[in-house]
Amino acid sequence: MSKHGDIIKYIHSLKVGSKISVRGIAVELAVSEGTAYRAIKEADNLGIVTTIPRVGTVRIEKVEKKSIEALNYAEVVRSE
């Protein structure tokens, strides 16, 4: 597996709520900070991390998005 893939796998293994830093991942996995940064951006695109202002980047639970056409009335009422 590539370094990039290893970093994504590592991020998946972290507990939800764990803080993630470019430097921390670079040191932990012995990769460059540039590689760590790109992998964290990819993890953000995948929906497994998010950046919170004044907090940092944290591991989150991926939320599956449903198509509006697939929702039924009960799901719409429950989401309010």
Side-chain angles (χ1 to χ4, degrees):
M1 186 178 278
S2 68
K3 290 179 183 180
H4 187 84
D6 290 341
I7 295 168
I8 297 294
K9 185 176 176 183
Y10 172 76
I11 292 171
H12 268 288
S13 74
L14 296 174
K15 288 176 38 178
V16 171
S18 299
K19 287 184 76 175
I20 298 168
S21 74
V22 171
R23 185 169 291 140
I25 286 180
V27 169
E28 181 75 23
L29 300 178
V31 297
S32 73
E33 289 184 11
T35 300
Y37 176 81
R38 286 187 298 277
I40 290 170
K41 283 299 181 188
E42 176 64 22
D44 187 28
N45 291 336
L46 293 172
I48 60 172
V49 301
T50 191
T51 302
I52 302 171
R54 299 177 62 180
V55 173
T57 303
V58 294
R59 169 76 166 91
I60 60 171
E61 189 66 44
K62 184 175 182 177
V63 178
E64 296 296 326
K65 295 180 182 177
K66 290 188 176 184
S67 171
I68 189 118
E69 292 83 21
L71 292 175
N72 62 36
Y73 181 74
E75 291 174 315
V76 171
V77 170
R78 230 180 319 175
S79 69
E80 294 184 281

